[in-house]
Amino acid sequence: AKKEGRNTYHYYDKKLEKASDDKFKLLQLLRPAFNGAQFKLYYQPMVNLSNGEITTVEALLRWPQPDGTMIGPDQFIPLAESSGLINELGRWVLQQACIGCAQQRRLGYTNLRVAVNLSVMQFKDGHLQDTVKSALRDAGLPPEALELELTESLLIDETEQIQKQLKALTAIGITIAIDDFGTGYSNLGYLRNFNATTLKIDRSFITSLCVAKHDESLVKAIISMAASLGLKTVAEGIEDEATLNKLVALGCDIGQGYYWSKPVPENVLSELLSNHQQL
Ligand code: C2E
Ligand code: CA
Ligand code: CA
Ligand code: CA
């Protein structure tokens, strides 16, 4: 039994070693990938549940590999954060997203908005306001067309510094959405300090909406509290009609998920929008 135990440890050690090895390799590939313009921005539509119109598209980062596979942001964003690349990468995302949205508006989808995910690190270098403003200016996109998505957990620490920057951004017309809502510890009243207009209910609650009764009451409570505070609600991760119908019945404002579309590259988004009812 002892011998077996030792072998087991050995096995786990190797696994751990390999995991951090892979991480290290990925980390080293990140900077050259950025310099070589290997990252791509995909877009996923958000749909107004009362009239079926696409109101906003969320910009989501992708890292395509030479073998045709794709490394997802959950794998490389934390590495970009720890290596300090996130500020440059985040600036590029803002620039591209503004250009992409402005392009769709010129093509005829005139009221389209774009949502961009921000990392907490982007608030720390003091340049966020300038970065956002010049991204808008360079793309010729009005501030009202930009929504910034911040995760609930991001807002827990460094609150004052972040609040100040968000206030300046919302003052020019940019809107704020709280992402992954329900997974953190904050309450809705607290979130009002961040000038948010929108709550995105975390996918985990939406996925289990039709199977777990307690998730239904939770989602119901979030939607009604949000409404009483004048906040819009977005349900992300809607994959089927039953879930959609339930959310409509609960009074959710906006939906996002594979039911309509996976995140797609810009040319596919163009097609999607041109086949879709105009705003
Ligand atoms: P998120 O902001 O919560 O984005 C939603 C994630 O759910 C996306 O994963 C999207 O592809 C996925 N999703 C959307 N609808 C469905 C559905 O119906 N079913 C399922 N199973 N999944 C769905 P993705 O693109 O892998 O992004 C993961 C996370 O990476 C994002 O979570 C966001 O936190 C982060 N991320 C992505 N792009 C950026 C970026 O440009 N900057 C920063 N800081 N973070 C980013
Ligand atoms: Ca998001
Ligand atoms: Ca989310
Ligand atoms: Ca998430």
Side-chain angles (χ1 to χ4, degrees):
K2 236 181 191 160
K3 189 165 182 260
E4 221 169 66
R6 207 175 294 138
N7 284 341
T8 311
Y9 277 117
H10 186 68
Y11 169 73
Y12 280 120
D13 277 348
K14 273 273 183 279
K15 243 181 114 174
L16 218 76
E17 219 170 80
K18 180 163 188 323
S20 68
D21 219 49
D22 288 349
K23 227 170 150 181
F24 184 70
K25 274 186 205 139
L26 215 56
L27 190 62
Q28 293 208 304
L29 291 171
L30 218 51
R31 163 61 66 181
F34 179 72
N35 291 344
Q38 284 175 25
F39 291 99
K40 280 202 77 175
L41 213 50
Y42 274 41
Y43 298 91
Q44 188 180 32
M46 295 187 211
V47 176
N48 180 332
L49 295 184
S50 58
N51 61 15
E53 284 171 353
I54 296 173
T55 59
T56 309
V57 289
E58 179 174 4
L60 293 158
L61 259 174
R62 297 288 180 267
W63 184 6
Q65 298 300 296
D67 66 0
T69 60
M70 201 76 92
I71 300 183
D74 282 333
Q75 280 176 72
F76 66 79
I77 293 282
L79 295 177
E81 285 173 338
S82 64
S83 68
L85 185 68
I86 193 68
N87 283 12
E88 279 169 84
L89 188 58
R91 188 188 316 138
W92 180 82
V93 169
L94 274 163
Q95 290 165 345
Q96 291 302 304
C98 289
I99 291 169
C101 183
Q103 172 71 0
Q104 298 305 324
R105 288 163 73 104
R106 275 194 298 273
L107 289 173
Y109 218 85
T110 49
N111 292 322
L112 189 72
R113 307 182 70 229
V114 68
V116 173
N117 294 284
L118 288 189
S119 155
V120 67
M121 305 280 285
Q122 291 174 267
F123 285 91
K124 290 186 177 161
D125 75 349
H127 299 306
L128 185 63
Q129 282 176 57
D130 288 340
T131 301
V132 170
K133 284 178 189 167
S134 42
L136 289 168
R137 191 179 342 103
D138 293 349
L141 190 71
E144 294 76 25
L146 179 63
E147 182 147 271
L148 300 175
E149 296 196 0
L150 314 173
T151 58
E152 195 185 357
S153 55
L154 180 155
L155 303 174
I156 304 298
D157 43 71
E158 330 257 346
T159 48
E160 226 163 274
Q161 213 214 348
I162 291 178
Q163 279 179 32
K164 232 188 354 212
Q165 296 182 63
L166 289 179
K167 204 166 207 166
L169 291 167
T170 53
I172 64 166
I174 290 162
T175 61
I176 308 294
I178 307 297
D179 206 353
D180 300 348
F181 186 75
T183 58
Y185 301 99
S186 50
N187 60 56
L188 285 176
Y190 170 79
L191 291 176
R192 281 219 289 192
N193 298 333
F194 298 94
N195 293 39
T197 57
T198 306
L199 281 190
K200 297 190 82 173
I201 305 166
D202 193 66
R203 175 154 57 89
S204 57
F205 301 111
I206 307 305
T207 306
S208 52
L209 198 58
C210 290
V211 283
K213 192 72 194 163
H214 85 275
D215 275 347
E216 182 176 338
S217 23
L218 195 72
V219 171
K220 194 175 173 177
I222 292 174
I223 291 172
S224 75
M225 275 193 292
S228 69
L229 289 169
L231 295 167
K232 278 209 173 86
T233 41
V234 180
E236 58 177 22
I238 300 179
E239 294 187 359
D240 53 60
E241 196 154 11
T243 307
L244 167 62
N245 291 339
K246 189 147 272 175
L247 284 157
V248 170
L250 292 176
C252 185
D253 299 302
I254 294 160
Q256 180 180 1
Y258 297 173
Y259 176 74
W260 292 280
S261 172
K262 290 195 172 183
V264 293
E266 199 174 336
N267 62 317
V268 181
L269 178 73
S270 288
E271 272 171 48
L272 221 137
L273 293 177
S274 66
N275 294 329
H276 202 272
Q277 188 192 330
Q278 299 263 313
L279 287 177

Short mmCIF file of all heavy atoms in Angstrom, two decimals, residues 176-227:
data_model
loop_
_atom_site.label_atom_id
_atom_site.label_comp_id
_atom_site.label_asym_id
_atom_site.label_seq_id
_atom_site.Cartn_x
_atom_site.Cartn_y
_atom_site.Cartn_z
N ILE A 176 -22.14 51.04 -18.08
CA ILE A 176 -21.43 50.00 -17.34
C ILE A 176 -22.36 48.81 -17.08
O ILE A 176 -23.50 49.00 -16.64
CB ILE A 176 -20.96 50.53 -15.96
CG1 ILE A 176 -20.17 51.84 -16.10
CG2 ILE A 176 -20.16 49.47 -15.19
CD1 ILE A 176 -18.86 51.73 -16.82
N ALA A 177 -21.87 47.61 -17.36
CA ALA A 177 -22.62 46.41 -17.02
C ALA A 177 -21.84 45.60 -16.00
O ALA A 177 -20.62 45.52 -16.06
CB ALA A 177 -22.86 45.56 -18.27
N ILE A 178 -22.54 45.02 -15.04
CA ILE A 178 -21.90 44.14 -14.07
C ILE A 178 -22.02 42.72 -14.58
O ILE A 178 -23.12 42.18 -14.75
CB ILE A 178 -22.57 44.24 -12.68
CG1 ILE A 178 -22.65 45.70 -12.21
CG2 ILE A 178 -21.82 43.35 -11.67
CD1 ILE A 178 -21.33 46.38 -12.01
N ASP A 179 -20.86 42.11 -14.85
CA ASP A 179 -20.79 40.78 -15.46
C ASP A 179 -20.79 39.69 -14.38
O ASP A 179 -20.44 39.95 -13.23
CB ASP A 179 -19.48 40.70 -16.26
CG ASP A 179 -19.56 39.71 -17.41
OD1 ASP A 179 -20.55 38.98 -17.51
OD2 ASP A 179 -18.60 39.69 -18.20
N ASP A 180 -21.18 38.48 -14.77
CA ASP A 180 -21.14 37.31 -13.87
C ASP A 180 -21.87 37.58 -12.56
O ASP A 180 -21.46 37.10 -11.50
CB ASP A 180 -19.69 36.90 -13.57
CG ASP A 180 -18.91 36.54 -14.82
OD1 ASP A 180 -19.55 36.38 -15.88
OD2 ASP A 180 -17.69 36.41 -14.75
N PHE A 181 -22.95 38.35 -12.63
CA PHE A 181 -23.64 38.71 -11.40
C PHE A 181 -24.22 37.47 -10.71
O PHE A 181 -24.81 36.60 -11.35
CB PHE A 181 -24.76 39.73 -11.65
CG PHE A 181 -25.37 40.20 -10.36
CD1 PHE A 181 -24.69 41.10 -9.55
CD2 PHE A 181 -26.57 39.69 -9.92
CE1 PHE A 181 -25.21 41.49 -8.33
CE2 PHE A 181 -27.11 40.08 -8.71
CZ PHE A 181 -26.42 40.98 -7.91
N GLY A 182 -24.06 37.43 -9.40
CA GLY A 182 -24.58 36.32 -8.61
C GLY A 182 -23.47 35.40 -8.12
O GLY A 182 -23.67 34.60 -7.21
N THR A 183 -22.27 35.54 -8.70
CA THR A 183 -21.17 34.67 -8.30
C THR A 183 -20.33 35.30 -7.19
O THR A 183 -19.54 34.63 -6.55
CB THR A 183 -20.24 34.34 -9.48
OG1 THR A 183 -19.74 35.58 -10.01
CG2 THR A 183 -21.00 33.62 -10.58
N GLY A 184 -20.46 36.59 -6.99
CA GLY A 184 -19.65 37.28 -5.98
C GLY A 184 -20.44 37.48 -4.70
O GLY A 184 -21.42 36.81 -4.45
N TYR A 185 -20.03 38.46 -3.94
CA TYR A 185 -20.65 38.63 -2.63
C TYR A 185 -21.35 39.97 -2.46
O TYR A 185 -21.87 40.28 -1.42
CB TYR A 185 -19.60 38.47 -1.54
CG TYR A 185 -18.94 37.14 -1.57
CD1 TYR A 185 -17.69 36.97 -2.16
CD2 TYR A 185 -19.59 36.03 -1.04
CE1 TYR A 185 -17.11 35.72 -2.22
CE2 TYR A 185 -19.02 34.78 -1.10
CZ TYR A 185 -17.77 34.64 -1.69
OH TYR A 185 -17.20 33.42 -1.75
N SER A 186 -21.31 40.78 -3.51
CA SER A 186 -21.85 42.12 -3.35
C SER A 186 -23.38 42.11 -3.44
O SER A 186 -23.98 41.19 -3.96
CB SER A 186 -21.28 43.04 -4.41
OG SER A 186 -21.43 42.45 -5.67
N ASN A 187 -23.97 43.16 -2.91
CA ASN A 187 -25.41 43.29 -3.06
C ASN A 187 -25.72 44.38 -4.08
O ASN A 187 -24.86 45.15 -4.45
CB ASN A 187 -26.07 43.57 -1.71
CG ASN A 187 -25.53 44.86 -1.11
OD1 ASN A 187 -25.59 45.91 -1.73
ND2 ASN A 187 -25.01 44.76 0.10
N LEU A 188 -26.96 44.40 -4.51
CA LEU A 188 -27.32 45.33 -5.57
C LEU A 188 -27.16 46.79 -5.17
O LEU A 188 -26.75 47.61 -5.97
CB LEU A 188 -28.76 45.08 -6.00
CG LEU A 188 -28.98 43.84 -6.85
CD1 LEU A 188 -30.46 43.65 -7.14
CD2 LEU A 188 -28.22 43.98 -8.15
N GLY A 189 -27.46 47.10 -3.92
CA GLY A 189 -27.34 48.47 -3.45
C GLY A 189 -25.90 48.95 -3.59
O GLY A 189 -25.64 50.05 -4.08
N TYR A 190 -24.98 48.09 -3.21
CA TYR A 190 -23.56 48.40 -3.29
C TYR A 190 -23.13 48.66 -4.73
O TYR A 190 -22.36 49.55 -5.02
CB TYR A 190 -22.80 47.22 -2.70
CG TYR A 190 -21.32 47.24 -2.89
CD1 TYR A 190 -20.51 48.03 -2.09
CD2 TYR A 190 -20.72 46.44 -3.86
CE1 TYR A 190 -19.15 48.05 -2.27
CE2 TYR A 190 -19.36 46.45 -4.04
CZ TYR A 190 -18.57 47.24 -3.25
OH TYR A 190 -17.24 47.24 -3.44
N LEU A 191 -23.68 47.87 -5.63
CA LEU A 191 -23.30 48.01 -7.03
C LEU A 191 -23.75 49.33 -7.65
O LEU A 191 -23.22 49.77 -8.65
CB LEU A 191 -23.88 46.84 -7.85
CG LEU A 191 -23.25 45.49 -7.54
CD1 LEU A 191 -23.95 44.40 -8.33
CD2 LEU A 191 -21.76 45.50 -7.87
N ARG A 192 -24.71 49.96 -7.00
CA ARG A 192 -25.16 51.26 -7.50
C ARG A 192 -24.05 52.30 -7.45
O ARG A 192 -24.04 53.25 -8.23
CB ARG A 192 -26.36 51.75 -6.69
CG ARG A 192 -27.63 51.07 -7.15
CD ARG A 192 -28.75 52.05 -7.13
NE ARG A 192 -29.13 52.39 -5.77
CZ ARG A 192 -30.23 53.05 -5.48
NH1 ARG A 192 -31.04 53.42 -6.45
NH2 ARG A 192 -30.52 53.32 -4.24
N ASN A 193 -23.11 52.11 -6.53
CA ASN A 193 -21.98 53.04 -6.43
C ASN A 193 -21.14 53.07 -7.70
O ASN A 193 -20.32 53.95 -7.88
CB ASN A 193 -21.06 52.64 -5.27
CG ASN A 193 -21.78 52.70 -3.94
OD1 ASN A 193 -22.72 53.47 -3.80
ND2 ASN A 193 -21.34 51.91 -2.99
N PHE A 194 -21.33 52.08 -8.55
CA PHE A 194 -20.50 52.00 -9.75
C PHE A 194 -21.21 52.51 -10.99
O PHE A 194 -20.77 52.29 -12.10
CB PHE A 194 -19.98 50.58 -9.92
CG PHE A 194 -19.11 50.16 -8.79
CD1 PHE A 194 -19.64 49.47 -7.72
CD2 PHE A 194 -17.78 50.52 -8.76
CE1 PHE A 194 -18.85 49.12 -6.64
CE2 PHE A 194 -16.98 50.17 -7.69
CZ PHE A 194 -17.51 49.48 -6.62
N ASN A 195 -22.36 53.15 -10.80
CA ASN A 195 -23.08 53.75 -11.93
C ASN A 195 -23.47 52.72 -12.99
O ASN A 195 -23.56 53.06 -14.17
CB ASN A 195 -22.26 54.85 -12.62
CG ASN A 195 -22.06 56.05 -11.75
OD1 ASN A 195 -21.85 55.91 -10.54
ND2 ASN A 195 -22.15 57.23 -12.31
N ALA A 196 -23.66 51.49 -12.59
CA ALA A 196 -24.03 50.46 -13.57
C ALA A 196 -25.46 50.67 -14.05
O ALA A 196 -26.31 51.15 -13.30
CB ALA A 196 -23.89 49.07 -12.96
N THR A 197 -25.71 50.34 -15.31
CA THR A 197 -27.07 50.39 -15.83
C THR A 197 -27.62 49.00 -16.08
O THR A 197 -28.80 48.82 -16.28
CB THR A 197 -27.13 51.17 -17.17
OG1 THR A 197 -26.24 50.52 -18.08
CG2 THR A 197 -26.72 52.61 -17.00
N THR A 198 -26.72 48.01 -16.09
CA THR A 198 -27.08 46.67 -16.53
C THR A 198 -26.46 45.60 -15.65
O THR A 198 -25.31 45.73 -15.23
CB THR A 198 -26.60 46.46 -17.99
OG1 THR A 198 -27.12 47.51 -18.81
CG2 THR A 198 -27.04 45.13 -18.54
N LEU A 199 -27.22 44.54 -15.39
CA LEU A 199 -26.71 43.38 -14.68
C LEU A 199 -26.73 42.19 -15.61
O LEU A 199 -27.76 41.88 -16.20
CB LEU A 199 -27.62 43.03 -13.50
CG LEU A 199 -27.55 43.80 -12.21
CD1 LEU A 199 -28.37 43.07 -11.16
CD2 LEU A 199 -26.11 43.97 -11.76
N LYS A 200 -25.60 41.51 -15.73
CA LYS A 200 -25.58 40.28 -16.50
C LYS A 200 -25.58 39.10 -15.54
O LYS A 200 -24.61 38.88 -14.80
CB LYS A 200 -24.33 40.21 -17.40
CG LYS A 200 -24.29 41.32 -18.44
CD LYS A 200 -23.18 41.09 -19.45
CE LYS A 200 -23.60 40.12 -20.53
NZ LYS A 200 -22.57 40.02 -21.60
N ILE A 201 -26.68 38.37 -15.54
CA ILE A 201 -26.83 37.24 -14.62
C ILE A 201 -25.93 36.10 -15.10
O ILE A 201 -25.94 35.72 -16.27
CB ILE A 201 -28.30 36.78 -14.57
CG1 ILE A 201 -29.20 37.96 -14.21
CG2 ILE A 201 -28.46 35.63 -13.57
CD1 ILE A 201 -30.68 37.69 -14.46
N ASP A 202 -25.13 35.58 -14.20
CA ASP A 202 -24.14 34.58 -14.58
C ASP A 202 -24.76 33.36 -15.24
O ASP A 202 -25.83 32.89 -14.87
CB ASP A 202 -23.32 34.14 -13.37
CG ASP A 202 -22.09 33.35 -13.80
OD1 ASP A 202 -21.22 33.95 -14.45
OD2 ASP A 202 -22.04 32.14 -13.53
N ARG A 203 -24.03 32.86 -16.24
CA ARG A 203 -24.48 31.72 -17.03
C ARG A 203 -24.85 30.50 -16.18
O ARG A 203 -25.77 29.75 -16.51
CB ARG A 203 -23.39 31.35 -18.05
CG ARG A 203 -23.66 30.13 -18.86
CD ARG A 203 -22.94 30.20 -20.19
NE ARG A 203 -21.49 30.38 -20.06
CZ ARG A 203 -20.64 29.35 -19.97
NH1 ARG A 203 -21.07 28.11 -19.96
NH2 ARG A 203 -19.35 29.59 -19.87
N SER A 204 -24.15 30.30 -15.08
CA SER A 204 -24.41 29.11 -14.25
C SER A 204 -25.86 29.07 -13.76
O SER A 204 -26.46 28.00 -13.67
CB SER A 204 -23.44 29.07 -13.07
OG SER A 204 -23.54 30.25 -12.31
N PHE A 205 -26.44 30.24 -13.48
CA PHE A 205 -27.84 30.27 -13.02
C PHE A 205 -28.81 30.01 -14.17
O PHE A 205 -29.86 29.41 -13.98
CB PHE A 205 -28.17 31.62 -12.38
CG PHE A 205 -27.29 31.94 -11.22
CD1 PHE A 205 -26.35 32.96 -11.31
CD2 PHE A 205 -27.38 31.22 -10.04
CE1 PHE A 205 -25.51 33.25 -10.26
CE2 PHE A 205 -26.54 31.50 -8.97
CZ PHE A 205 -25.61 32.52 -9.08
N ILE A 206 -28.42 30.50 -15.35
CA ILE A 206 -29.31 30.36 -16.52
C ILE A 206 -29.33 28.91 -16.97
O ILE A 206 -30.39 28.36 -17.30
CB ILE A 206 -28.83 31.28 -17.67
CG1 ILE A 206 -28.67 32.72 -17.18
CG2 ILE A 206 -29.76 31.19 -18.86
CD1 ILE A 206 -29.89 33.34 -16.53
N THR A 207 -28.15 28.27 -16.97
CA THR A 207 -28.03 26.89 -17.41
C THR A 207 -28.93 25.96 -16.60
O THR A 207 -29.55 25.05 -17.14
CB THR A 207 -26.56 26.42 -17.28
OG1 THR A 207 -25.73 27.36 -17.99
CG2 THR A 207 -26.36 25.04 -17.84
N SER A 208 -29.02 26.22 -15.30
CA SER A 208 -29.80 25.30 -14.47
C SER A 208 -31.22 25.80 -14.21
O SER A 208 -31.94 25.24 -13.40
CB SER A 208 -29.06 25.08 -13.15
OG SER A 208 -28.74 26.32 -12.57
N LEU A 209 -31.61 26.83 -14.94
CA LEU A 209 -32.92 27.46 -14.72
C LEU A 209 -34.07 26.47 -14.84
O LEU A 209 -35.03 26.51 -14.07
CB LEU A 209 -33.10 28.60 -15.72
CG LEU A 209 -34.17 29.63 -15.41
CD1 LEU A 209 -33.92 30.28 -14.06
CD2 LEU A 209 -34.17 30.71 -16.49
N CYS A 210 -34.00 25.61 -15.83
CA CYS A 210 -35.12 24.70 -16.09
C CYS A 210 -35.04 23.41 -15.29
O CYS A 210 -35.98 22.63 -15.27
CB CYS A 210 -35.23 24.40 -17.58
SG CYS A 210 -35.77 25.84 -18.50
N VAL A 211 -33.92 23.19 -14.63
CA VAL A 211 -33.81 21.96 -13.84
C VAL A 211 -33.83 22.20 -12.33
O VAL A 211 -34.43 21.43 -11.59
CB VAL A 211 -32.55 21.12 -14.22
CG1 VAL A 211 -32.78 20.38 -15.51
CG2 VAL A 211 -31.32 22.00 -14.31
N ALA A 212 -33.21 23.29 -11.90
CA ALA A 212 -33.14 23.54 -10.46
C ALA A 212 -34.12 24.62 -10.03
O ALA A 212 -34.02 25.76 -10.44
CB ALA A 212 -31.72 23.93 -10.06
N LYS A 213 -35.08 24.23 -9.23
CA LYS A 213 -36.13 25.14 -8.80
C LYS A 213 -35.56 26.35 -8.04
O LYS A 213 -36.02 27.46 -8.18
CB LYS A 213 -37.12 24.36 -7.92
CG LYS A 213 -38.41 25.09 -7.62
CD LYS A 213 -39.32 25.16 -8.85
CE LYS A 213 -40.41 26.19 -8.62
NZ LYS A 213 -41.07 26.60 -9.86
N HIS A 214 -34.55 26.11 -7.22
CA HIS A 214 -34.04 27.22 -6.41
C HIS A 214 -33.33 28.26 -7.26
O HIS A 214 -33.28 29.42 -6.91
CB HIS A 214 -33.17 26.71 -5.25
CG HIS A 214 -31.75 26.48 -5.61
ND1 HIS A 214 -31.32 25.30 -6.17
CD2 HIS A 214 -30.66 27.28 -5.53
CE1 HIS A 214 -30.02 25.39 -6.39
NE2 HIS A 214 -29.60 26.57 -6.02
N ASP A 215 -32.81 27.84 -8.42
CA ASP A 215 -32.20 28.82 -9.31
C ASP A 215 -33.26 29.72 -9.94
O ASP A 215 -33.03 30.88 -10.20
CB ASP A 215 -31.38 28.13 -10.40
CG ASP A 215 -29.97 27.81 -9.92
OD1 ASP A 215 -29.59 28.35 -8.85
OD2 ASP A 215 -29.29 27.02 -10.57
N GLU A 216 -34.44 29.14 -10.14
CA GLU A 216 -35.51 29.96 -10.70
C GLU A 216 -35.90 31.08 -9.73
O GLU A 216 -36.05 32.23 -10.13
CB GLU A 216 -36.74 29.12 -11.06
CG GLU A 216 -37.80 29.99 -11.69
CD GLU A 216 -39.03 29.23 -12.18
OE1 GLU A 216 -38.91 28.02 -12.42
OE2 GLU A 216 -40.08 29.87 -12.30
N SER A 217 -36.02 30.74 -8.45
CA SER A 217 -36.40 31.81 -7.51
C SER A 217 -35.29 32.84 -7.37
O SER A 217 -35.56 34.02 -7.17
CB SER A 217 -36.81 31.24 -6.15
OG SER A 217 -36.28 30.00 -5.93
N LEU A 218 -34.05 32.37 -7.48
CA LEU A 218 -32.92 33.30 -7.40
C LEU A 218 -32.92 34.27 -8.58
O LEU A 218 -32.80 35.48 -8.40
CB LEU A 218 -31.61 32.50 -7.38
CG LEU A 218 -30.39 33.28 -6.94
CD1 LEU A 218 -30.46 33.56 -5.45
CD2 LEU A 218 -29.12 32.51 -7.26
N VAL A 219 -33.07 33.74 -9.78
CA VAL A 219 -33.09 34.56 -10.98
C VAL A 219 -34.27 35.53 -10.93
O VAL A 219 -34.14 36.71 -11.27
CB VAL A 219 -33.13 33.69 -12.25
CG1 VAL A 219 -33.38 34.53 -13.50
CG2 VAL A 219 -31.82 32.92 -12.40
N LYS A 220 -35.39 35.00 -10.46
CA LYS A 220 -36.59 35.83 -10.32
C LYS A 220 -36.33 37.01 -9.38
O LYS A 220 -36.67 38.15 -9.66
CB LYS A 220 -37.72 34.96 -9.77
CG LYS A 220 -39.09 35.55 -9.88
CD LYS A 220 -40.12 34.52 -9.41
CE LYS A 220 -41.50 35.15 -9.35
NZ LYS A 220 -42.50 34.13 -8.96
N ALA A 221 -35.69 36.72 -8.27
CA ALA A 221 -35.38 37.76 -7.28
C ALA A 221 -34.41 38.79 -7.85
O ALA A 221 -34.58 39.99 -7.65
CB ALA A 221 -34.80 37.12 -6.02
N ILE A 222 -33.39 38.32 -8.56
CA ILE A 222 -32.41 39.24 -9.15
C ILE A 222 -33.10 40.18 -10.14
O ILE A 222 -32.91 41.39 -10.11
CB ILE A 222 -31.26 38.47 -9.87
CG1 ILE A 222 -30.40 37.73 -8.86
CG2 ILE A 222 -30.40 39.44 -10.69
CD1 ILE A 222 -29.33 36.82 -9.48
N ILE A 223 -33.95 39.60 -11.00
CA ILE A 223 -34.63 40.41 -12.02
C ILE A 223 -35.55 41.45 -11.37
O ILE A 223 -35.55 42.62 -11.77
CB ILE A 223 -35.41 39.52 -13.01
CG1 ILE A 223 -34.42 38.72 -13.87
CG2 ILE A 223 -36.32 40.36 -13.90
CD1 ILE A 223 -35.06 37.65 -14.75
N SER A 224 -36.28 41.05 -10.34
CA SER A 224 -37.22 42.02 -9.77
C SER A 224 -36.49 43.09 -8.95
O SER A 224 -36.86 44.26 -8.98
CB SER A 224 -38.33 41.33 -8.97
OG SER A 224 -37.83 40.88 -7.75
N MET A 225 -35.42 42.70 -8.26
CA MET A 225 -34.63 43.71 -7.53
C MET A 225 -33.97 44.67 -8.50
O MET A 225 -33.95 45.88 -8.27
CB MET A 225 -33.54 43.04 -6.69
CG MET A 225 -34.03 42.57 -5.33
SD MET A 225 -32.64 42.15 -4.28
CE MET A 225 -32.01 40.69 -5.09
N ALA A 226 -33.42 44.13 -9.58
CA ALA A 226 -32.78 44.98 -10.59
C ALA A 226 -33.79 45.97 -11.16
O ALA A 226 -33.50 47.17 -11.27
CB ALA A 226 -32.18 44.12 -11.71
N ALA A 227 -34.97 45.47 -11.47
CA ALA A 227 -36.00 46.34 -12.04
C ALA A 227 -36.37 47.47 -11.08
O ALA A 227 -36.52 48.62 -11.48
CB ALA A 227 -37.24 45.53 -12.41
#
